[in-house]
Amino acid sequence: MKLLIVLAMLAARAASVQDLSGKMLTFPLQTNQARVRLVTPKQEFRALTVCHRSFTDIKRDHGLFSLSTSGSSNSFLIFWDETNKEMEAHIRDQKSEFRGLDYKPNMWHSICTTWDSATGLVQLWFNGRPTIRKYVPVTSAITGSTMIILGQEQDAHGGGFDSKQAFVGMMSDVHMWDYVLSSCEIQSYVDELNFTPGNALNWKALEFEITDKVLVEPKSSICH
């Protein structure tokens, strides 16, 4: 029993703050355990922008960014629905679907998702191109104890993981702001130019905790 407890403690590496510039998180296995928990000091969001880059070849449903609170397991979820070929944004369990995206395998994609409680509008920016804006009936703040997970989709606060929805691939440049980023700032992020880092999650000063088989590696690039 003591050995099992020690192994469990080793499996989850303690949260630490690191500059991940030029690095990526590699999720090499389909499992319901491998994940990265991101820590934010903010516990109330009246608006949000989440940007990330991902690279995968999986052809099934998978979660890309999962933020839950004690009141909602899908407070802010970005999810690919393979059956309907759509990227979904869930805001406090209210879903918006975005179709017609060229979500090709084996290449990097930059995805930014915005939501504003003042208007109820949600929008996706896929590789720098905006989708239409959609309305969700969520016009109050996201509040409560926040749990942010990469690599798994939370069906319960901090848990309820399903290997059939796990992300397998690489992820990088995850930022989160507690406001709606301007179109020019989003374009700067996509083009990897100077932009204002996230004030809720900052890839250059990221507090995170790895559980199970997830690796921090130099971001792969094509040599010419």
Side-chain angles (χ1 to χ4, degrees), residues 98 114 121-125 131-135:
F98 299 94
T114 67
L121 294 179
V122 180
Q123 189 172 31
L124 197 75
W125 292 73
T131 64
I132 63 170
R133 292 182 174 92
K134 296 205 170 183
Y135 174 79

Side-chain angles (χ1 to χ4, degrees), residues 78-96:
I78 304 166
F79 189 85
W80 173 255
D81 183 330
E82 176 66 19
T83 301
N84 295 307
K85 306 294 186 203
E86 63 189 23
M87 197 69 73
E88 299 174 351
H90 298 245
I91 315 296
R92 292 216 338 232
D93 299 308
Q94 300 293 321
K95 181 175 69 172
S96 293

Side-chain angles (χ1 to χ4, degrees), residues 8 17 22 26 40 50 58 81 97 103 121 132 134 138 143 149 152 157 166 169 203 205 213:
V17 178
T26 298
T40 177
V50 172
I58 52 180
D81 183 330
E97 304 96 347
Y103 191 46
L121 294 179
I132 63 170
K134 296 205 170 183
V138 179
T143 59
I149 299 290
Q152 303 288 340
H157 186 44
W203 192 251
K213 192 65 174 178

Side-chain angles (χ1 to χ4, degrees), residues 53-116:
R53 304 187 214 279
S54 60
F55 188 116
T56 186
D57 68 349
I58 52 180
K59 294 184 178 181
R60 56 168 172 77
D61 295 355
H62 55 273
L64 291 161
F65 183 94
S66 176
L67 184 157
S68 77
T69 60
S70 53
S72 170
S73 60
N74 294 327
S75 283
F76 195 92
L77 169 67
I78 304 166
F79 189 85
W80 173 255
D81 183 330
E82 176 66 19
T83 301
N84 295 307
K85 306 294 186 203
E86 63 189 23
M87 197 69 73
E88 299 174 351
H90 298 245
I91 315 296
R92 292 216 338 232
D93 299 308
Q94 300 293 321
K95 181 175 69 172
S96 293
E97 304 96 347
F98 299 94
R99 302 184 180 93
L101 305 175
D102 194 13
Y103 191 46
K104 292 180 179 178
N106 293 314
M107 66 178 294
W108 284 103
H109 294 288
S110 297
I111 302 170
C112 292
T113 309
T114 67
W115 162 74
D116 189 351

Side-chain angles (χ1 to χ4, degrees), residues 170-181:
M170 292 90 80
M171 195 168 291
S172 186
D173 301 327
V174 181
H175 289 264
M176 182 168 76
W177 299 259
D178 64 354
Y179 56 90
V180 174
L181 217 58

